[in-house]
Amino acid sequence: MVWWSILLWALLKLVIAFLFIFITALILIWMLRKIMGHMQYRRGPRHHGPHGIWQTVFDTIKLLGKEDIIPSGVDRWTFIWAPMIIFVPSLMAFVFLPFAEKIVATNIEISLFFVLAIMGLSIIALLMAGWGSNNKYALLGGVRSAAQMMSYEIPMLISAMGVVMMSGSMNLSEIVRAQQHIWYIVPQLVGFFIFGCASLAEINSTPFDIPEAESEIVSGFNVEYSGFRFAAFFLAEFVNLFIVCALAALLFLGGWLPFTNPVYGTIFFLVKTYVLIFIVMWIKSTFPRFRIDQFMNFGWKVLLPLSLANLFVTGVIVLMVDKFRGV
Amino acid sequence: MYDEAEILLDDLPKDYMEVNFGPHHPSTHGVFRFIAKIDGERIIDIDPVIGYLHRGIEKIAENRTYVQFKPLVDRLDYTGGLNNELCYCLAVEKLMDIEAPPRAQAIRVICAELNRIAAHLIFFGAMGLETGAFTPLLFGFLDRETILNIFEIMAGGRLTFNYITIGGVREDIRSTVKTYFDKFNKEFPVKLKRYEELITGNEIFIKRLKNVGILKKEDLFNWGASGPTLRGSGVKFDIRKVEPYSGYEKYDFDIPVGTNGDVYDRYLVRMEEIKQSMRIVAQALDNLPSGDFTVKVPRIIKPPEGEVYVRNEGTKGEIGFYIVSKGDKNPYRLKIRTPSFSHINMLNFAASGNYIADAIVILGSFDTVMGSCDR
């Protein structure tokens, strides 16, 4: 291939990925509003389209059309770049997610490692937003989210390592194929629990939404943002929600299995992901929030030892099975 | 000028941050503002700033007749308007030496208790919101809506009523009130149980509230606390029992008290009070005395010279009206004692040293209303 066709191909992939995550985020916001509404004896959006499905589209258009306010006294460059940077990890992580057999934008050998590493980068944007806003609430929110991600990244990675040990690969497609006989949620139930908790913390969702605690620090790092910059933060939150749920579906729920057909596979994978998303939204509308110290204790004193123990036990069992089989 | 500022800066410890909360903050319950000095996540000192809702109600009273002033009383603690009205009317009646007929008294009790339930439902929702759960707020407001509908039938108003008058009530209770209340009484306990399953027993919720903001009895006495805040620390003091007014001695109800004095106890006390209030209303509606709903009072009320202090159990604590009359048609001086004012003063004492999140929860557990604090 000549260089421009490679570039064009990469650009096309990026555009498709961007469109997909944009639409997904819109659907997820609508879904959250509907689910929360029905759980609270309300109906949620009703007016635009059947069951208000155009509501979030119009909301986004409204946000994009708003005046761009940059408060005086902010650190201009960090303030402007933070909402753009927050999209980068989400977009990049997205490119490596396999949707079905052979339906994956970029297939590399260590895609799981890469996705997890990239997702850790979103903290930079949050810190930038918190620091650049020149607002004490935002600063508190940024620092809180830094502490949160730091302490929950580790159990998340370690719990994912259990899956890697069992499947013997870091490629997401390979991990799914290795689950042909049994989904990893069964042998790795503890790992799934840890991964779930850590992912909730990763995406700042209830009960770990401490960085944006509305009742304490109003809404944390994004308090000074409005218009399309706020929309970027808002959409990124939901994209991340999709990504962690998709990851959990791939790692523990067997991705597109039992279908190998690309169409059915994709549908089944999306169904699994959306079931997980529904659970997250269910938690979101019923759970209170941890306090920061309780939350740190939970991360370092419960999840981390648990994940290490899980890793150890998994390793021992995998070794014994291999010995038994005579590999 | 410059030198002065420098000296002030030198006096302060270096490693803290001053954060302003309010007056427009989602969890300061109206327009309350406090300046918190924080060291990391911990609060060193809280400086409450009140007065954003000051309307000079006490001064207005001096320029209005007793009847003209009454609508303003609703606007003190706007979550429990009828309790305020009841207290004011009792005070004026005591000054004039008249007493409302038994039927009026029973109707007043119904009003006051229903309003207490409505106020506590707001507390229930706000408490959920303060710990980060959004759903209880809507559940609380949904049931409050039913009560407000009953008020609409009874008094015509939903938030500010002007229903209790000096000498009785404005109009007789309608028969539909009982039907509506019976329906509510049937459905509400089931719902309340579900709400409690949702939030009261929630592990995180308990973790957030238990052993937070513990207040001892002696401290509470010193700060002039009253109502559920006081009872949460185990003091069995309820003006409805201690100095029964408006015929409260006729009803059978318990006073829930806490043991530990923490935020969770104050929460539980209020939740239990909802159930007790339901009992009182049911009893009052069942044994509604017949007779007049008001006594004849002169068109222009001119109480004899004298002064009077009357208190009752409001939704947040002790409401008191101190009225000095010089025999005029206006009160010479009117002083209102409200629980929110005492409780907000207590905030620094109760919350400093805790986490920011705790301070919010502690403020929420006092259930203050700025309308009644600032007056």
Side-chain angles (χ1 to χ4, degrees):
Chain A
M1 272 197 271
V2 278
W3 64 271
W4 58 264
S5 74
I6 296 173
L7 197 70
L8 208 68
W9 187 230
L11 218 64
L12 191 71
K13 272 184 198 171
L14 212 63
V15 168
I16 291 172
F18 194 77
L19 275 181
F20 187 88
I21 63 171
F22 196 71
I23 292 166
T24 309
L26 290 183
I27 293 171
L28 290 185
I29 295 169
W30 173 80
M31 197 174 141
L32 175 70
R33 291 177 68 176
K34 270 319 225 197
I35 289 173
M36 259 188 137
H38 282 282
M39 284 188 180
Q40 295 162 346
Y41 299 135
R42 296 185 289 119
R43 285 186 185 152
R46 290 282 296 173
H47 285 287
H48 301 294
H51 292 275
I53 49 169
W54 303 122
Q55 180 71 46
T56 46
V57 179
F58 290 148
D59 278 349
T60 316
I61 292 169
K62 181 205 74 176
L63 280 175
L64 293 181
K66 276 196 159 185
E67 188 192 347
D68 177 27
I69 299 170
I70 300 176
S72 59
V74 297
D75 193 333
R76 221 181 149 79
W77 284 107
T78 35
F79 185 83
I80 290 172
W81 277 99
M84 301 183 200
I85 287 176
I86 197 157
F87 252 112
V88 174
S90 320
L91 197 60
M92 281 174 81
F94 205 81
V95 177
F96 299 99
L97 291 181
F99 277 59
E101 195 75 54
K102 297 213 179 71
I103 307 278
V104 50
T106 305
N107 199 6
I108 57 172
E109 270 315 302
I110 50 163
S111 49
L112 171 63
F113 174 78
F114 201 77
V115 168
L116 289 174
I118 282 288
M119 282 192 64
L121 285 181
S122 62
I123 183 187
I124 293 176
L126 301 189
L127 260 180
M128 277 170 76
W131 178 256
S133 293
N134 189 26
N135 180 309
K136 283 164 184 170
Y137 295 137
L139 183 62
L140 272 174
V143 173
R144 277 178 175 193
S145 72
Q148 170 161 339
M149 290 222 175
M150 219 85 105
S151 41
Y152 275 69
E153 200 93 311
I154 300 163
M156 188 171 172
L157 287 172
I158 295 175
S159 63
M161 281 311 114
V163 172
V164 172
M165 273 182 171
M166 289 190 72
S167 65
S169 169
M170 273 207 176
N171 183 313
L172 283 168
S173 307
E174 284 298 324
I175 289 173
V176 173
R177 275 181 220 125
Q179 299 180 48
Q180 209 117 50
H181 302 297
I182 188 163
W183 292 358
Y184 284 156
I185 189 172
V186 181
Q188 287 284 324
L189 192 61
V190 182
F192 181 69
F193 168 73
I194 297 163
F195 190 86
C197 286
S199 319
L200 284 179
E202 182 91 12
I203 57 173
N204 295 338
S205 178
T206 320
F208 305 113
D209 58 340
I210 297 165
E212 26 193 275
E214 194 215 343
S215 56
E216 296 147 36
I217 50 173
V218 194
S219 63
F221 53 84
N222 62 22
V223 66
E224 288 286 354
Y225 284 92
S226 59
F228 70 89
R229 293 181 208 285
F230 173 73
F233 278 113
F234 200 60
L235 292 177
E237 198 183 314
F238 284 88
V239 174
N240 286 336
L241 169 65
F242 181 83
I243 288 174
V244 292
C245 288
L247 258 187
L250 288 171
L251 293 182
F252 296 100
L253 298 182
W256 55 83
L257 293 175
F259 296 102
T260 44
N261 179 313
V263 179
Y264 293 140
T266 308
I267 292 171
F268 207 54
F269 166 69
L270 285 178
V271 166
K272 282 174 185 171
T273 309
Y274 272 87
V275 167
L276 287 176
I277 289 171
F278 174 76
I279 293 170
V280 171
M281 288 175 174
W282 189 1
I283 291 171
K284 223 179 176 129
S285 49
T286 45
F287 267 49
R289 176 191 313 125
F290 274 111
R291 201 172 60 205
I292 185 120
D293 61 316
Q294 294 164 349
F295 163 79
M296 285 295 170
N297 281 346
F298 186 64
W300 289 105
K301 292 184 187 163
V302 179
L303 285 189
L304 186 62
L306 204 63
S307 63
L308 284 173
N310 182 46
L311 189 70
F312 178 73
V313 172
T314 311
V316 168
I317 290 174
V318 166
L319 261 184
M320 272 161 63
V321 168
D322 283 357
K323 266 261 157 25
F324 182 68
R325 280 189 186 152
V327 178
Chain B
M1 276 302 275
Y2 181 71
D3 287 343
E4 240 179 67
E6 211 166 40
I7 290 162
L8 274 175
L9 277 176
D10 280 344
D11 285 346
L12 300 169
K14 296 284 183 234
D15 49 350
Y16 70 83
M17 181 161 87
E18 241 181 25
V19 185
N20 178 56
F21 288 86
H24 288 174
H25 187 275
S27 54
T28 51
H29 293 240
V31 285
F32 175 50
R33 173 182 171 210
F34 62 93
I35 302 159
K37 296 194 177 98
I38 60 169
D39 175 15
E41 284 282 339
R42 279 195 186 272
I43 287 187
I44 306 172
D45 184 48
I46 289 180
D47 189 8
V49 184
I50 58 170
Y52 287 93
L53 202 59
H54 178 69
R55 293 151 296 180
I57 285 183
E58 288 176 10
K59 188 69 191 167
I60 293 173
E62 293 168 22
N63 302 316
R64 292 201 173 195
T65 65
Y66 286 93
V67 179
Q68 277 174 344
F69 177 62
K70 198 165 58 61
L72 289 179
V73 172
D74 278 321
R75 281 131 179 105
L76 289 172
D77 169 4
Y78 40 77
T79 58
L82 285 163
N83 283 284
N84 302 338
E85 277 183 27
L86 176 56
C87 190
Y88 175 69
C89 291
L90 285 173
V92 178
E93 280 162 19
K94 194 173 173 191
L95 209 55
M96 293 166 69
D97 205 19
I98 54 174
E99 198 177 55
R103 188 174 173 85
Q105 285 189 357
I107 295 172
R108 285 170 168 193
V109 167
I110 293 165
C111 292
E113 291 309 314
L114 278 177
N115 216 332
R116 190 186 311 280
I117 298 167
H120 283 355
L121 281 173
I122 297 180
F123 167 82
F124 165 72
M127 209 64 217
L129 201 62
E130 252 128 20
T131 52
F134 188 56
T135 309
L137 182 79
L138 289 136
F139 284 177
F141 269 84
L142 193 73
D143 283 323
R144 181 171 173 266
E145 189 68 24
T146 323
I147 297 174
L148 293 190
N149 287 340
I150 296 175
F151 279 145
E152 222 171 316
I153 302 164
M154 238 162 122
R158 289 165 62 84
L159 194 70
T160 51
F161 308 94
N162 201 14
Y163 178 59
I164 296 171
T165 56
I166 296 160
V169 289
R170 197 178 67 227
E171 55 190 273
D172 202 356
I173 193 165
R174 296 182 190 185
S175 54
T176 41
V177 170
K178 192 169 158 49
T179 5
Y180 273 86
F181 178 76
D182 283 345
K183 191 159 162 271
F184 181 60
N185 200 4
K186 211 180 280 168
E187 291 165 1
F188 184 55
V190 185
K191 276 186 173 175
L192 200 64
K193 215 173 158 206
R194 256 167 68 191
Y195 300 167
E196 291 197 343
E197 275 167 13
L198 171 72
I199 192 98
T200 310
N202 188 306
E203 192 67 31
I204 302 172
F205 189 71
I206 295 173
K207 239 182 163 170
R208 283 295 304 279
L209 302 195
K210 262 237 145 95
N211 297 323
V212 169
I214 297 177
L215 293 166
K216 291 195 200 74
K217 283 180 200 174
E218 302 79 47
D219 297 327
L220 286 171
F221 291 143
N222 289 340
W223 285 103
S226 54
T229 309
L230 184 62
R231 290 195 284 276
S233 294
V235 184
K236 207 165 186 173
F237 178 80
D238 189 319
I239 298 165
R240 288 175 293 176
K241 285 272 191 205
V242 180
E243 293 173 4
Y245 53 91
S246 197
Y248 265 110
E249 66 277 2
K250 281 183 277 184
Y251 305 108
D252 176 31
F253 64 101
D254 304 324
I255 304 171
V257 288
T259 47
N260 206 3
D262 54 12
V263 175
Y264 193 57
D265 276 354
R266 296 200 269 282
Y267 170 82
L268 288 182
V269 163
R270 283 197 172 86
M271 294 315 281
E272 184 58 34
E273 273 187 17
I274 291 180
K275 290 172 198 161
Q276 297 301 331
S277 293
M278 291 296 281
R279 271 178 72 192
I280 298 175
V281 179
Q283 287 171 42
L285 273 172
D286 282 343
N287 315 314
L288 205 60
S290 53
D292 251 347
F293 59 87
T294 179
V295 291
K296 275 245 179 306
V297 284
R299 179 150 299 179
I300 296 165
I301 291 169
K302 273 190 184 178
E305 213 165 304
E307 56 184 60
V308 65
Y309 178 75
V310 168
R311 57 180 183 169
N312 79 356
E313 186 70 27
T315 55
K316 326 275 187 233
E318 175 185 331
I319 304 172
F321 276 86
Y322 175 68
I323 306 176
V324 181
S325 161
K326 293 273 182 187
D328 252 339
K329 59 183 197 301
N330 307 342
Y332 178 75
R333 173 80 173 96
L334 188 141
K335 169 86 180 79
I336 308 163
R337 188 255 186 239
T338 52
S340 296
F341 183 70
S342 316
H343 293 159
I344 275 186
N345 280 325
M346 208 156 61
L347 182 64
N348 184 24
F349 172 77
S352 52
N354 285 312
Y355 289 94
I356 300 172
D358 286 343
I360 301 292
V361 167
I362 291 167
L363 175 63
S365 77
F366 296 152
D367 196 15
T368 49
V369 166
M370 290 321 285
S372 99
C373 174
D374 292 346
R375 307 198 270 276

